[in-house]
Amino acid sequence: GFFVENIRENRVEKNREKEYIQSMISDMKSDIKQLDSLNATRRVKNEMIDSILLILDMPDPNLFGNELYYFARWMPRPVRSITSDGTMQQLKSGNLRLIRSRRSVDAIMEYDQLVRFGNISVEDREETLIQQFYPSLKKVFDARVFEKMVKGMQINRPVGNPKLLHGDKESLDELYSHIHFLKNVNSYSIQFIERRRTLAEHVLDVLTQEYNLNNY
C-alpha cells in the first residue's frame, strides 16, 4: 500500500510540474508581448525628449510652442511594466521543488531576479526624477494651456502656438537639466527591456527543451 501510494503521489507531482511549466510558458509569452509594446512606447518617448532638448537649445524656443507644450505634457507620464508573475509567485511559495530540471529552475530564478531589480533601479528612479521635474515644468509652462489640452486620459496638441510662461535662461537651463536625466533613465529602460526580453526568450527555450512542450 505504501508503494502504491508513493507511485500515486509521484504521478500527482509530475502532473503539477507539467501544469506549472505550461503556465510559466504562457506567462513568458505574455511578458514578451508586453515588453515589445513597452519598448515601442519608450522609443517614442525618447523621440519626444530629443525634440524638447533640441528646441530648448534654439535661440527662441517660443517659435515652437506647440511642439514644446505637447511633448512636455507627455513627459511626466510614467511607463510601467506589469509582469505576468502569477506562476512565479506560486512556485516561490513552496512549489519550486516540483520543478525537477535544475536548468529550468536556474533560468526561472534568474528572470525573477532581473525583474525585481528592474522595478527598483528603473521605475523607482524614474518616479523620483519625475517628482523633481514638476517644479521646473510648472515654472516654464502655462498650466492653463495644459488644462485645455487634456481630455480624460487623452493629451491633444494645444491650439495655435502658445508662449512659454517664463523663457529666461535660468528657468530653461533648469528644465533642460531635468529632461536630460529623464532621457538617461528612459534610454536605460530601453536597454533593460531588451535585456529582459532576451532572458524571457531564454527561459522559454529552456522550458520547451527540458520538457518537450513545443506545442504549448
Side-chain angles (χ1 to χ4, degrees):
F2 175 78
F3 180 71
V4 172
E5 180 64 19
N6 206 30
I7 292 176
R8 188 190 69 81
E9 288 184 2
N10 225 7
R11 186 178 300 139
V12 169
E13 289 196 346
K14 284 184 178 180
N15 287 336
R16 289 180 65 197
E17 178 188 26
K18 182 178 179 181
E19 289 173 2
Y20 279 127
I21 294 300
Q22 291 172 350
S23 184
M24 180 60 69
I25 287 173
S26 178
D27 285 353
M28 288 298 100
K29 289 181 178 179
S30 178
D31 270 11
I32 289 169
K33 184 177 180 180
Q34 184 199 178
L35 290 168
D36 287 341
S37 177
L38 281 173
N39 197 353
T41 302
R42 287 283 185 186
R43 289 186 178 279
V44 169
K45 190 168 185 176
N46 245 15
E47 291 175 3
M48 290 183 175
I49 292 173
D50 284 340
S51 295
I52 294 176
L53 293 177
L54 180 64
I55 294 171
L56 289 177
D57 213 24
M58 292 180 175
D60 187 5
N62 274 311
L63 293 175
F64 302 90
N66 186 284
E67 288 77 11
L68 276 178
Y69 270 90
Y70 181 65
F71 297 147
R73 186 58 186 84
W74 273 104
M75 285 289 298
R77 286 204 170 178
V79 182
R80 299 294 186 191
S81 62
I82 302 174
T83 306
S84 302
D85 65 347
T87 309
M88 185 76 75
Q89 295 307 319
Q90 291 181 51
L91 289 174
K92 289 167 64 179
S93 66
N95 295 305
L96 197 61
R97 64 179 182 80
L98 296 173
I99 310 302
R100 292 168 297 161
S101 164
R102 185 71 249 175
R103 186 169 171 237
S104 298
V105 171
D106 289 345
I108 290 169
M109 297 314 295
E110 183 182 3
Y111 185 76
D112 178 60
Q113 184 179 14
L114 182 67
V115 170
R116 288 185 288 111
F117 170 77
N119 289 339
I120 296 172
S121 67
V122 178
E123 295 185 354
D124 289 355
R125 173 61 175 160
E126 183 175 50
E127 182 59 34
T128 299
L129 290 172
I130 287 173
Q131 294 305 317
Q132 295 172 354
F133 171 66
Y134 276 121
S136 59
L137 183 74
K138 291 186 288 186
K139 187 185 297 183
V140 173
F141 293 91
D142 188 346
R144 292 176 180 82
V145 177
F146 284 150
E147 175 63 22
K148 295 175 182 177
M149 293 166 55
V150 179
K151 302 294 181 185
M153 295 297 292
Q154 182 64 38
I155 298 176
N156 302 308
R157 282 183 174 271
V159 176
N161 195 56
K163 302 295 183 184
L164 299 176
L165 192 63
H166 295 289
D168 60 280
K169 187 178 185 306
E170 183 179 351
S171 298
L172 294 182
D173 285 350
E174 180 183 331
L175 180 69
Y176 192 103
S177 176
H178 284 137
I179 295 174
H180 160 75
F181 288 109
L182 280 170
K183 177 184 177 180
N184 281 353
V185 76
N186 193 67
S187 297
Y188 177 78
S189 181
I190 291 172
Q191 296 176 18
F192 177 79
I193 287 169
E194 291 173 349
R195 180 183 171 195
R196 180 176 158 186
R197 191 192 190 286
T198 299
L199 188 53
E201 288 278 10
H202 172 67
V203 174
L204 208 52
D205 289 343
V206 169
L207 296 183
T208 53
Q209 290 168 15
E210 291 290 300
Y211 289 88
N212 194 26
L213 297 172
N214 291 306
N215 294 325
Y216 294 90

